[in-house]
């Protein structure tokens, strides 16, 4: 048997050509024109629709205000505590607001609810500044006019002083801390001053913030002994906005000082 393939007939080739032409014509009829096809492809691609005119903007972030649990507090305390919570300036930590004019401390939980408050004793000298180098002086060398409790925002943490005793350092460089009231000198009457309803007699320390023993041991120390916190000391002479440069009313959310 021969292995050679017989030559292809001309009529077979002609049939193939006719079939190809017929198939192309059918395909052309089945496909839409080029412009229509591109439009259909474009229409199938998802797009982000522009907001319709008059569509409401996203709801503003909810206002957050501190909860003073019915405690009396000055307008300055409320303004600063509200701003701290709403802005998150306290970094999610416990925070303290010290009202020097009214000699009172407010201790807040991270969520802005009041944990405790108490009268305090403060530096005997009025003023919102720290005297340069005062923290390096022995206590007997600190002059009367240098015994200020400085205003400002401080990152506070637990430690020990030279006595030594547990303290919460407010301004370590200036040797200013919060600690238990010291009643070592009867002539100073520090316990009586704390118990007095008057504010004028609460100025007696070298600059440190003296707290009732029960408040320090049951409220402040358990919070700060294992974690830092933020202390806001309100000024008694300077404007609030000058000391706290981002202060605003949460109801307006407008920076009041730049």
């Amino acid at each position: 048997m021969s292995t050679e393939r017989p030559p292809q007939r001309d009529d077979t080739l002609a049939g193939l050509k006719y079939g190809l032409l017929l198939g192309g014509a059918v395909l052309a009829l089945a496909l839409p024109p080029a412009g229509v096809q591109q439009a259909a492809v474009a229409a199938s691609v998802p797009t982000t629709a522009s907001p319709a005119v008059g569509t409401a903007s996203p709801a503003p972030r909810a206002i957050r205000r501190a909860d003073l649990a019915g405690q009396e507090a000055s307008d300055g305390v409320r303004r600063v505590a509200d701003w701290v919570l709403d802005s998150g300036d306290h970094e999610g930590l416990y925070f303290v607001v010290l009202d020097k004019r009214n000699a009172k401390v407010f201790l807040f939980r991270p969520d802005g609810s009041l944990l405790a408050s108490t009268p305090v004793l403060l530096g005997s000298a009025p003023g919102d500044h720290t005297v340069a180098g005062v923290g390096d002086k022995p206590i007997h060398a600190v002059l009367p006019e240098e015994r200020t409790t400085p205003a400002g925002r401080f990152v506070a943490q637990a430690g020990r002083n030279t006595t030594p005793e547990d303290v919460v350092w407010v301004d370590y460089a200036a040797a200013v801390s919060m600690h238990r009231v010291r009643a070592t000198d009867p002539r100073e009457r520090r316990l009586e001053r704390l118990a007095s309803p008057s504010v004028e007699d609460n100025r007696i320390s070298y600059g440190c913030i003296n707290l009732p023993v029960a408040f320090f041991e049951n409220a402040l120390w358990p919070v700060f002994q294992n974690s830092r916190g933020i202390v806001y000391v309100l000024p008694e002479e300077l404007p609030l906005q000058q000391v706290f440069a981002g202060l605003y009313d949460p109801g307006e959310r407008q920076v009041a000082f730049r």
Side-chain angles (χ1 to χ4, degrees), residues 83-105:
W83 161 68
V84 167
L85 183 66
D86 190 72
S87 67
D89 188 79
H90 63 314
E91 303 173 16
L93 302 171
Y94 282 81
F95 64 98
V96 169
V97 179
L98 168 56
D99 184 356
K100 286 203 294 178
R101 290 178 180 175
N102 294 295
K104 195 170 184 179
V105 151

Side-chain angles (χ1 to χ4, degrees), residues 139 159-165 167 169 172 182:
I139 194 166
R160 283 179 170 270
N161 59 17
T162 57
T163 307
E165 67 175 335
V167 301
W169 289 111
Y172 184 82
R182 296 171 184 159

Side-chain angles (χ1 to χ4, degrees), residues 57-184:
S57 302
R61 178 170 58 84
I63 295 172
R64 302 182 68 194
R65 294 190 183 275
D67 179 7
L68 282 155
Q71 287 286 321
E72 290 187 9
S74 67
D75 179 63
V77 170
R78 295 180 183 277
R79 288 182 63 193
V80 170
D82 286 347
W83 161 68
V84 167
L85 183 66
D86 190 72
S87 67
D89 188 79
H90 63 314
E91 303 173 16
L93 302 171
Y94 282 81
F95 64 98
V96 169
V97 179
L98 168 56
D99 184 356
K100 286 203 294 178
R101 290 178 180 175
N102 294 295
K104 195 170 184 179
V105 151
F106 299 84
L107 173 59
F108 292 91
R109 299 180 181 89
D111 66 358
S113 60
L114 184 68
L115 176 60
S117 63
T118 183
V120 294
L121 302 181
L122 303 169
S124 58
D128 298 318
H129 63 288
T130 299
V131 177
V134 69
D136 298 324
K137 289 186 175 184
I139 194 166
H140 65 270
V142 178
L143 302 176
E145 63 270 21
E146 298 175 333
R147 301 171 187 177
T148 60
T149 300
R153 178 191 188 274
F154 303 93
V155 179
Q157 58 185 6
R160 283 179 170 270
N161 59 17
T162 57
T163 307
E165 67 175 335
D166 297 329
V167 301
V168 174
W169 289 111
V170 175
D171 187 346
Y172 184 82
V176 175
S177 67
M178 293 186 287
H179 58 71
R180 303 171 183 85
V181 61
R182 296 171 184 159
T184 54

